[in-house]
Amino acid sequence: MSEEFEIRNKVAESGLVNFDLSTLIPKGIRKGIDLKDFLFQEMILKEKDFREKVDAINTVEYQDAYIYIYNSVDTIVPLWAYFVLTAKLTDVAKKIVFGNREDLEVIIMHNAIQTYDFEDMRGKRVLVKGCTDKEIPENAYIELVEQLKPMVKSLMFGEACSNVPIVKN
């Protein structure tokens, strides 16, 4: 083939680093525990009953899971109850948080971004992929910019054919 008609990938030649934030989403099962299931008539926390129900938890179900603890009923739960439940699961779970599923995802993405080594992007032109089939908390994008802005030559969002410039150093 002559050079005149050679097909070239200009994106690959540009030195642009494509980064897909969804690759940082930690793999693992997500499980919710509703505190109402540990309350007497879903209304009152009786310490003896609560402790018996916590003791009866089959921890195998929560092995290597990301757990979020929430309370779907309008009942005041003493803080020590969260301690007891967390103590039961902390040796088997990857992470335990209080809140809903979205809160859990924000926290585990925060941890993933904070521990990821972005050093190979230093001084480079970085394009953060805009489309993904996985749900990523918006906060993860904010934290990603915080990490990358001081170190990259330029930061863009979107796709190579249509991106939005964010930072140019």
Side-chain angles (χ1 to χ4, degrees), residues 78-134:
L79 287 176
W80 62 259
Y82 300 104
F83 279 63
V84 171
L85 187 53
T86 302
K88 174 72 175 187
L89 298 168
T90 197
D91 292 334
V92 297
K94 286 185 180 179
K95 183 73 178 165
I96 305 169
V97 303
F98 176 79
N100 57 31
R101 170 76 184 258
E102 293 79 25
D103 297 328
L104 172 69
E105 296 301 330
V106 167
I107 290 169
I108 61 177
M109 279 302 289
H110 167 80
N111 292 344
I113 290 168
Q114 294 302 310
T115 58
Y116 187 81
D117 183 7
F118 292 101
E119 197 56 40
D120 61 333
M121 296 182 198
R122 184 171 296 284
K124 305 257 175 81
R125 297 173 59 232
V126 178
L127 174 65
V128 177
K129 184 176 180 179
C131 296
T132 181
D133 59 347
K134 297 179 180 162

Side-chain angles (χ1 to χ4, degrees), residues 143-160:
E143 290 193 48
L144 182 66
V145 172
E146 287 180 322
Q147 292 291 319
L148 294 178
K149 183 181 183 236
M151 67 181 345
V152 299
K153 182 177 181 180
S154 64
L155 181 62
M156 297 159 276
F157 178 80
E159 304 301 322

